[in-house]
Amino acid sequence: GESVGLHLPTLSVQEGDNSIINCAYSNSASDYFIWYKQESGKGPQFIIDIRSNMDKRQGQRVTVLLNKTVKHLSLQIAATQPGDSAVYFCAEMTRGGSEKLVFGKGTKLTVNP
Amino acid sequence: EAGVAQSPRYKIIEKRQSVAFWCNPISGHATLYWYQQILGQGPKLLIQFQNNGVVDDSQLPKDRFSAERLKGVDSTLKIQPAKLEDSAVYLCASSLDRASYGYTFGSGTRLTVV
């Protein structure tokens, strides 16, 4: 069954605020994680990834934090913009075997102007 | 580079009818995936191809779903006969190879079964 889930289904923030989207995973063997952004009518778009040998990775306006002790992943978006409004998914992969990505249910982020 | 192409974008069929979806991956990508995304949920892997061979089809309902990737490039996913619960977006993704983590998704085909 699915091993990746999210704490909150929706998140509403004001433009310019920072956003934090959380994700819990249950498969301790997972060693690679990706955050995807999905806008209406489009496929998931890669945002940022992190391997299990890291606990933090930064991109442009986004930061992913990984806490393997409690199996928790978070995506931080700095200075959230209206264009950030979308559904965000975390996905995990366990290397070995088919190496498939397993997705969580998603968090809908709404940015209010 | 061109993205992953899928067609059609939308399809409405009656239950018990058949339907087929087409995917053209990024040129040179050996691995191709079909995902099913039911409204309000995350994508679920149906089948994974490496070139023209099936790597993982453990979550494919084989009594009604079939997929092929002839010549290791384009792929088709077929449902026959369709059920109401098959209403979903069917996403195709590709990556350079199984060890590559850079999945690129197409925009998907939205299927409505009535």
Side-chain angles (χ1 to χ4, degrees), chain A residues 28-100:
Chain A
S28 57
S30 292
D31 55 8
Y32 179 66
F33 304 87
I34 306 177
W35 279 100
Y36 282 92
K37 172 185 180 183
Q38 188 173 27
E39 297 173 282
S40 181
K42 297 183 179 179
Q45 177 186 5
F46 174 94
I47 300 174
I48 191 168
D49 61 356
I50 188 167
R51 299 177 194 275
S52 59
N53 61 352
M54 305 170 67
D55 53 20
K56 180 178 180 179
R57 189 162 189 227
Q58 288 185 291
Q60 195 170 26
R61 283 201 306 118
V62 294
T63 300
V64 56
L65 299 177
L66 175 63
N67 185 331
K68 295 181 288 294
T69 302
V70 295
K71 300 191 187 72
H72 184 268
L73 196 67
S74 69
L75 176 70
Q76 300 178 0
I77 305 173
T80 314
Q81 303 168 0
D84 296 326
S85 294
V87 178
Y88 290 81
F89 295 95
C90 66
E92 64 176 317
M93 179 187 287
T94 305
R95 285 177 289 184
S98 63
E99 298 174 327
K100 62 186 179 185

Side-chain angles (χ1 to χ4, degrees), chain B residues 40-55:
Chain B
Q41 298 184 16
K44 183 186 81 172
L45 181 69
L46 293 175
I47 189 167
Q48 177 183 352
F49 291 94
Q50 178 72 13
N51 295 310
N52 61 350
V54 175
V55 174

Side-chain angles (χ1 to χ4, degrees), chain B residues 7-99:
Chain B
S7 67
R9 284 301 312 273
Y10 306 93
K11 191 74 177 178
I12 300 175
I13 62 171
E14 295 182 347
K15 60 183 179 184
R16 292 188 288 274
Q17 285 187 323
S18 63
V19 64
F21 313 125
W22 174 81
C23 173
N24 180 234
I26 291 174
S27 178
H29 279 196
T31 312
L32 185 147
Y33 314 82
W34 282 103
Y35 278 81
Q36 179 192 58
Q37 186 174 24
I38 293 173
L39 185 64
Q41 298 184 16
K44 183 186 81 172
L45 181 69
L46 293 175
I47 189 167
Q48 177 183 352
F49 291 94
Q50 178 72 13
N51 295 310
N52 61 350
V54 175
V55 174
D56 184 348
D57 63 357
S58 58
Q59 297 192 83
L60 187 73
K62 299 180 187 62
D63 58 333
R64 298 183 301 105
F65 286 64
S66 64
E68 60 182 10
R69 192 183 183 198
L70 300 175
K71 302 179 183 178
V73 181
D74 293 6
S75 177
T76 56
L77 176 70
K78 296 179 181 178
I79 307 175
Q80 181 180 12
K83 293 186 176 181
L84 296 177
E85 59 260 36
D86 298 331
S87 294
V89 175
Y90 291 85
L91 294 162
C92 179
S94 69
S95 63
L96 200 56
D97 55 42
R98 285 175 57 192

